């Protein structure tokens, strides 16, 4: 079988643009530095997702759409004559949002819940009426939403404050949230203990993540690139439980753990580079997880998360040792199955294997196949007009093309844009030459 040398698949955009890279603690902070986010674990040992049903009646609604969302997850239902029904598979308890005509209604779901909601679209001030499962939890979330806890604008302002003022504001908000939960619990003894534990973890690690992100956001918003936190600024992390399986359902807890390990691994990489070594971020992350996170569920999740991120950004080349370490340590069948599937998807792209073929048209409609470039080194840049990092790389790609102009190297830029007009417009504006192809 004919083989080709692929110099580079520039798949960075699949990680930089499409992966979740916004801090959950600051998920509404637009134009902010990106942060790696830990998605909800897909499976936990000996558990499987259960269906949750949400139905309701909206007075004065007519027809329209209502959405159940969490991060990038979204379920949609059509409102017909004021009635709707949604179903979501849920593995573990978590807080979602119902979105309808600009309304954002928080709703907490646990496996097996059956929740009914009713409200008047013209009299929102009359509130929302819940019935069915965990009604008291939904009432808590509704009251919490009406509290004056720190919003997006206040959070953004807080990260520009001097360190002592930031600590004062952030600590005050945490105390307000904790007091609100405690008072509600005392007045409503039926509030489930499982939810209280979940909410306490959300509050604590939202607070901790704000401390963790302060240096990054202060440098970004205040342009203080040389700012260094005081020695004791993050001392509180020594008191946190970094091996708490009961806190794993919390997005904030998972994000805090991932960010902490990522930062420590990055420091090790910097030391390696100074010593002339290689970039092995995931190996260092594995070392740190195995050394510091010995609780099985927590360790399972972190090893799964870092290996999955590695596969998304780098594929399986040079990942065999990581894979073996994962297999030795991780007992969760769901995590193991997902990683196995990822490996199988990437296996055809292992170095030395025949490159998979393709056939895509250029701006004139002429279709090019990989076989058209037999005998050459083929450099493939996968990009899109909506991908910021991709556009940043274009000038460097053009310099590379000039450097190899007289060599047997073919440079193919393959756009994954769904908007052909936007692709053609950018090619013209930037005077992009060479083989410009559009994937279907």
């Amino acid at each position: 079988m004919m083989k080709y040398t692929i110099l580079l698949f520039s798949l960075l955009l699949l990680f930089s643009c499409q992966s979740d890279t916004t801090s959950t603690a600051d998920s509404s902070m637009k134009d902010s530095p990106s942060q790696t986010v830990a998605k909800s674990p897909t499976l936990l040992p000996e558990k499987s997702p259960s269906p949750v049903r949400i139905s309701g009646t909206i007075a004065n609604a007519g027809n329209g759409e209502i959405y159940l969302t969490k991060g990038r997850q979204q379920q949609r239902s059509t409102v017909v004559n004021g009635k709707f029904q949604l179903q979501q598979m849920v593995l573990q308890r978590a807080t979602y949002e119902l979105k309808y005509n600009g309304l954002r209604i928080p709703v907490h779901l646990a496996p097996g819940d059956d929740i009914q909601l009713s409200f008047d679209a013209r009299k929102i001030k009359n509130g929302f009426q819940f019935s069915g499962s965990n009604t008291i939890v939904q009432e808590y979330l509704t009251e919490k939403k009406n509290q004056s806890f720190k919003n997006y604008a206040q959070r953004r302002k807080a990260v520009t404050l001097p360190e002592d003022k930031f600590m004062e504001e952030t600590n005050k908000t945490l105390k307000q949230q904790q007091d609100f939960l405690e008072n509600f619990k005392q007045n409503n003894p039926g509030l489930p203990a499982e939810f209280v534990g979940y909410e306490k973890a959300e509050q604590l690690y939202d607070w901790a993540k704000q401390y963790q992100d302060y240096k990054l956001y202060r440098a970004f918003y205040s342009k203080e690139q040389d700012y260094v936190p005081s020695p004791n600024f993050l001392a509180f992390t020594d008191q946190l439980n970094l091996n708490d399986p009961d806190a794993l359902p919390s997005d904030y807890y998972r994000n805090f753990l991932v960010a902490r390990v990522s930062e420590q691994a990055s420091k090790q990489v910097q030391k390696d580079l100074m010593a002339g070594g290689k970039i092995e971020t995931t190996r260092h992350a594995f070392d740190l997880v195995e050394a510091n996170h010995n609780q099985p569920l927590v360790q399972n999740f972190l090893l799964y998360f870092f290996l999955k991120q590695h596969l998304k950004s780098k594929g399986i080349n040079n990942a065999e040792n990581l894979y073996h370490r994962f297999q030795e340590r991780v007992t969760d069948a769901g995590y193991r199955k997902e990683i196995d599937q990822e490996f199988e998807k990437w296996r055809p792209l292992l170095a030395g294997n025949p490159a998979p073929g393709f056939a895509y048209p250029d701006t004139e409609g002429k279709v090019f196949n990989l076989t058209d470039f037999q005998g050459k080194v083929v450099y493939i840049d996968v990009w899109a007009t909506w991908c910021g990092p991709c556009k940043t790389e274009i000038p460097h790609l053009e310099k590379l093309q000039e450097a190899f102009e007289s060599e047997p190297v073919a440079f193919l830029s393959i756009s994954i844009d769904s908007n052909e007009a936007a692709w053609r417009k950018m090619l013209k504006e930037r005077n992009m030459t060479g083989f410009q192809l559009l994937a279907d």
Side-chain angles (χ1 to χ4, degrees), residues 85-132:
Q85 181 171 307
L86 287 153
Q87 185 164 299
Q88 171 75 30
M89 298 300 291
V90 172
L91 171 71
Q92 57 195 355
R93 64 175 58 254
T95 299
Y96 293 70
E97 267 193 331
L98 283 170
K99 296 181 180 179
Y100 173 75
N101 283 355
L103 290 176
R104 302 167 78 97
I105 308 167
V107 57
H108 191 80
L109 306 180
D113 279 354
D114 190 344
I115 297 169
Q116 293 83 49
L117 165 67
S118 62
F119 62 93
D120 191 324
R122 295 181 184 173
K123 298 178 181 179
I124 298 302
K125 290 184 179 179
N126 291 349
F128 307 99
Q129 291 74 49
F130 286 96
S131 59

Side-chain angles (χ1 to χ4, degrees), residues 226-415:
D226 297 329
Y227 163 72
V228 177
S230 60
N232 294 323
F233 182 67
L234 294 176
F236 71 88
T237 57
D238 295 334
Q239 308 302 317
L240 298 176
N241 184 354
L242 304 181
N243 287 283
D244 185 359
D246 294 331
L248 268 180
S250 166
D251 287 340
Y252 292 113
Y253 182 66
R254 294 193 307 277
N255 291 339
F256 179 82
L257 294 182
V258 165
R260 190 172 187 271
V261 173
S262 297
E263 183 178 11
Q264 293 173 336
S266 294
K267 290 179 179 178
Q268 291 296 325
V269 168
Q270 291 172 10
K271 292 180 181 178
D272 292 345
L273 293 176
M274 293 294 290
K278 299 184 295 183
I279 298 177
E280 296 181 290
T281 310
T282 310
R283 179 179 68 80
H284 286 304
F286 267 47
D287 291 344
L288 289 161
V289 171
E290 290 174 357
N292 302 321
H293 301 277
N294 52 19
Q295 202 289 325
L297 295 183
V298 174
Q299 186 178 94
N300 271 222
F301 165 69
L302 287 171
L303 293 177
Y304 154 80
F305 176 86
F306 283 108
L307 182 53
K308 185 171 182 179
Q309 290 299 311
H310 181 95
L311 296 177
K312 286 176 66 177
S313 62
K314 301 180 185 300
I316 62 174
N317 285 303
N318 303 315
E320 290 294 335
N321 184 53
L322 294 172
Y323 180 67
H324 291 316
R325 289 175 68 177
F326 173 87
Q327 292 287 343
E328 290 173 359
R329 291 279 187 173
V330 175
T331 57
D332 183 290
Y335 292 159
R336 292 170 67 97
K337 180 179 179 180
E338 191 170 342
I339 293 298
D340 285 345
Q341 290 173 343
E342 285 291 320
F343 255 75
E344 288 307 309
K345 284 197 302 186
W346 280 97
R347 201 169 295 281
L349 296 180
L350 274 172
N353 285 346
F358 58 80
Y360 298 129
D362 67 3
T363 55
E364 303 299 322
K366 181 180 178 181
V367 176
F368 285 88
N369 294 273
L370 184 57
T371 54
D372 295 332
F373 305 97
Q374 182 179 358
K376 292 184 177 182
V377 172
V378 179
Y379 179 112
I380 298 178
D381 176 43
V382 181
W383 71 291
T385 58
W386 43 259
C387 173
C390 303
K391 291 186 286 188
T392 301
E393 291 173 354
I394 290 174
H396 304 288
L397 174 59
E398 291 172 343
K399 290 181 180 178
L400 194 63
Q401 286 178 279
E402 292 177 5
F404 285 88
E405 190 173 11
S406 60
E407 302 294 333
V409 179
F411 290 87
L412 310 185
S413 292
I414 301 178
S415 168

Side-chain angles (χ1 to χ4, degrees), residues 18-39:
Q18 294 181 341
S19 64
D20 290 324
T21 54
T22 341
S23 168
T24 299
D26 296 292
S27 60
S28 57
M29 281 197 175
K30 298 179 177 63
D31 303 321
S32 60
S34 62
Q35 294 275 297
T36 300
V37 160
K39 290 184 178 180

